[in-house]
Amino acid sequence: MIRVDHLCLWHGPRTIFRDVSFEVPKGQTLALLGASGSGKTSLARLLLGVLPGRHVKTADQNGDGFRWSGRAEVLGVDMLEAPLAEQRKLRRTDLSLIVQALSDALNPHQTVFQHVAELLPHSRRRTSLALALCKRFNIPERILHRYPATLSGGEIQRVLTALALARDPQVLILDEPTAALDHGNRALAVAALSAGQAQRSQLLITHDFDLAAQMADRMVILHDKQLVDRGPAVEMLMQPGGRAVVHRTRATTQRGIAPLVPGPEPLPTSPSGLVIQRLSHQQTGTLVLRDISAAVRPGRCLAIFGPSGGGKSTLARLLCGYERLQTGRILWRARDEAQPRICHPQELALVSQHPHRAMARHMSVRDVLSDAMRLCRRIGRAGHDVDIAGLMQRVDLPHSGAFLSRRAADLSGGEAQRLTIARALVSRPRCMIADEPTASLDSDTRDTILKLFRRLMAQEQLALIVFTHDPKVAEALGHDIRFLSEGQLRLSPSGVAA
């Protein structure tokens, strides 16, 4: 079981949360809900014993780094004060974590099959048992011999789920376990996580009320640095006139952003902007993209919508030059009907799904932007007149000295994502590539980022290609919505948001 008593956490002078207490007995799932930046993941890292810092007896708001007080027990072991050897033993046997689709949670030098097989004892049946385990957790055969760098977010999520559940842990911590998954794979993941649920304690960390309703027995709400509400999930989510905080939060998260309804616009035969011509790509002998052709004009967005494993992340990496083109061309046409030229990868900028992993954690906000400016000047993509204050204003971030001095690791999810957008703008890109840019964010923060993309398109005539499995994101940004499945790009099916 999990037992947390009067847990407090500080970072430098800042209180992250205080006086947090809850229990998760065997056979139950507790959903911990809260907005991005509320401290949910830090709490999970405390329970795992992997948050760097020190234990203090009383409130210490003048120290450096992370400090904590209280107790955080997992199966009777206080993970805040137990010896490292005891913590490691617990993590190897009875305590597992499923994080949100992070490729760096996997060994980059091992294939998917090697990751799964090393969990099993050496025997003549090891290969067949590993294959059965992959099938059980919906890992397709086509990715078994691929490396993490070539997997989509949804494929990584399925691998992480299999690795966490393979040893039947007694305690399972789930940190946004389905955010990277499309609707079909999400249902399969929920089914896998529900199997054996009665034999373990589960802490579900999420900002997704629908997922909490599907999986949780009880819920607690982390808001304004403390637990503000708790109770049975059914009562808190279903009953009319139920808990005020939950209903206020639900109303906020369901407000959303209105779909983009572009006006009719006759396009020339050869429009200006980014042009993708007959792009195909193979991985480990398998054709993952087939004859992809598309175009996006300045000031407009091409939304590429589709399920996990359909080729979205591979196409995003090819466009940005992170993988070598095998077949096809990526061009830029300066004006309508003009002759296109080869588009250099430096003219495109990537905004990733996991902004904290896209920046050095120890660097300050100012250092992140200054480093990008130095690199861009070296390759001739930015002049010496880039104004940091103006750049911050363009992405709705403070430009005070205190904020510019904050470490990237200490930013909320929304702040970190806006900083990655600001960093991308340093190079004055012609086109921005956004790969699942809102999947890790709560609904309010997601809408803020979507509105920012809309404004950048309108005011700066920036071309945008957004890859997503979320139909709301596709409809909110896409002037042109295409469906990518099994490596082929098609016109979007009707009723994409259904």
Side-chain angles (χ1 to χ4, degrees):
M1 80 179 281
I2 300 172
R3 174 176 291 165
V4 173
D5 289 322
H6 303 292
L7 185 61
C8 302
L9 180 64
W10 301 271
H11 185 269
R14 184 166 63 100
T15 300
I16 297 178
F17 54 73
R18 59 183 179 272
D19 203 27
V20 170
S21 298
F22 60 81
E23 290 186 2
V24 191
K26 180 179 178 179
Q28 287 202 8
T29 297
L30 175 71
L32 173 63
L33 291 101
S36 297
S38 61
K40 304 187 303 296
T41 295
S42 295
L43 194 153
R45 296 182 70 196
L46 280 173
L47 286 170
L48 287 159
V50 296
L51 189 69
R54 68 183 190 277
H55 191 276
V56 295
K57 297 299 182 184
T58 58
D60 174 16
Q61 293 184 281
N62 298 315
D64 296 324
F66 286 107
R67 288 104 52 223
W68 52 78
S69 66
R71 292 182 66 82
E73 292 185 3
V74 177
L75 298 174
V77 176
D78 186 356
M79 300 299 284
L80 305 184
E81 296 193 272
L84 288 177
E86 191 173 2
Q87 293 181 20
R88 291 192 187 107
K89 180 180 178 182
L90 191 62
R91 289 194 294 266
R92 283 197 305 268
T93 55
D94 294 319
L95 172 60
S96 286
L97 167 72
I98 299 178
V99 294
Q100 185 193 157
L102 295 177
S103 60
D104 55 2
L106 300 172
N107 185 333
H109 305 295
Q110 286 187 316
T111 65
V112 170
F113 185 80
Q114 288 170 335
H115 276 94
V116 175
E118 74 175 359
L119 294 175
L120 303 172
H122 287 278
S123 73
R124 287 179 297 178
R125 298 187 58 220
R126 192 181 196 189
T127 298
S128 60
L129 289 173
L131 289 172
L133 197 61
C134 291
K135 185 176 181 180
R136 173 185 166 194
F137 291 106
N138 190 35
I139 299 175
E141 188 175 346
R142 59 182 167 77
I143 71 168
L144 291 182
H145 301 292
R146 284 165 51 184
Y147 292 90
T150 68
L151 303 178
S152 71
E155 289 165 343
I156 293 168
Q157 191 72 73
R158 280 179 272 178
V159 174
L160 294 175
T161 300
L163 297 178
L165 294 179
R167 291 179 174 173
D168 296 322
Q170 293 187 52
V171 174
L172 184 60
I173 298 175
L174 308 163
D175 190 359
E176 299 289 3
T178 64
L181 302 178
D182 58 85
H183 181 75
N185 283 300
R186 173 189 166 115
L188 291 170
V190 170
L193 294 170
S194 298
Q197 185 173 342
Q199 308 306 316
R200 59 179 176 259
S201 303
Q202 293 189 159
L203 177 63
L204 171 63
I205 296 172
T206 186
H207 56 252
D208 187 334
F209 281 92
D210 292 333
L211 181 63
Q214 286 180 277
M215 293 190 60
D217 301 289
R218 294 181 300 120
M219 289 173 49
V220 292
I221 308 291
L222 185 59
H223 176 71
D224 195 23
K225 304 175 184 177
Q226 58 189 326
L227 294 185
V228 296
D229 209 4
R230 66 181 69 215
V234 172
E235 177 186 337
M236 296 180 72
L237 290 169
M238 301 300 179
Q239 286 186 1
R243 314 270 177 144
V245 173
V246 176
H247 284 282
R248 183 166 66 248
T249 309
R250 291 192 79 194
T252 301
T253 58
Q254 291 177 354
R255 181 172 63 246
I257 181 170
L260 183 66
V261 184
E265 179 183 350
L267 293 178
T269 306
S270 301
S272 62
L274 189 75
V275 181
I276 305 169
Q277 283 187 350
R278 303 183 68 84
L279 190 153
S280 296
H281 193 74
Q282 288 188 4
Q283 287 177 340
T284 61
T286 302
L287 193 62
V288 294
L289 293 172
R290 304 181 186 184
D291 200 26
I292 302 292
S293 295
V296 56
R297 305 192 67 178
R300 297 179 69 86
C301 172
L302 169 64
I304 298 181
F305 170 79
S308 170
K312 301 191 302 297
S313 292
T314 300
L315 181 54
R317 289 195 295 268
L318 286 167
L319 292 175
C320 293
Y322 291 0
E323 290 196 35
R324 184 179 60 84
L325 277 178
Q326 296 173 352
T327 304
R329 297 194 300 170
I330 301 171
L331 309 170
W332 182 265
R333 183 179 284 113
R335 59 187 182 277
D336 292 352
E337 311 298 345
Q339 187 68 23
R341 60 169 176 78
I342 297 295
C343 183
H344 197 281
Q346 293 163 359
E347 297 178 274
L348 295 94
L350 177 68
V351 176
S352 69
Q353 177 178 347
H354 299 289
H356 282 107
R357 301 296 174 128
M359 300 179 286
R361 295 175 58 82
H362 67 280
M363 292 178 69
S364 69
V365 171
R366 180 184 285 106
D367 289 341
V368 168
L369 297 177
S370 299
D371 190 59
M373 291 176 191
R374 284 192 294 270
L375 175 62
C376 289
R377 284 196 293 267
R378 195 177 306 148
I379 62 176
R381 287 300 303 163
H384 292 265
D385 58 346
V386 177
D387 173 29
I388 286 184
L391 194 61
M392 299 294 275
Q393 289 176 337
R394 286 161 70 189
V395 296
D396 301 322
L397 283 175
H399 56 275
S400 64
F403 187 84
L404 291 173
S405 298
R406 286 177 62 183
R407 291 192 320 152
D410 300 333
L411 301 178
S412 70
E415 290 169 339
Q417 192 62 290
R418 278 177 279 170
L419 179 57
T420 63
I421 294 172
R423 183 180 63 178
L425 291 173
V426 168
S427 66
R428 298 173 179 167
R430 298 182 182 278
C431 180
M432 193 171 285
I433 311 296
D435 187 12
E436 299 283 6
T438 62
S440 61
L441 305 176
D442 63 84
S443 297
D444 276 358
T445 310
R446 177 198 67 189
D447 293 348
T448 299
I449 298 299
L450 295 181
K451 290 173 183 175
L452 173 58
F453 277 129
R454 278 190 179 184
R455 194 176 77 235
L456 291 173
M457 283 191 290
Q459 295 180 356
E460 308 198 13
Q461 287 299 289
L462 185 72
L464 175 66
I465 301 179
V466 61
F467 295 86
T468 182
H469 65 261
D470 186 342
K472 293 180 181 177
V473 172
E475 292 192 331
L477 292 177
H479 296 87
D480 180 13
I481 301 176
R482 300 296 178 95
F483 187 73
L484 182 62
S485 177
E486 298 179 351
Q488 294 184 294
L489 192 64
R490 308 179 180 91
L491 289 174
S492 175
S494 59
V496 67

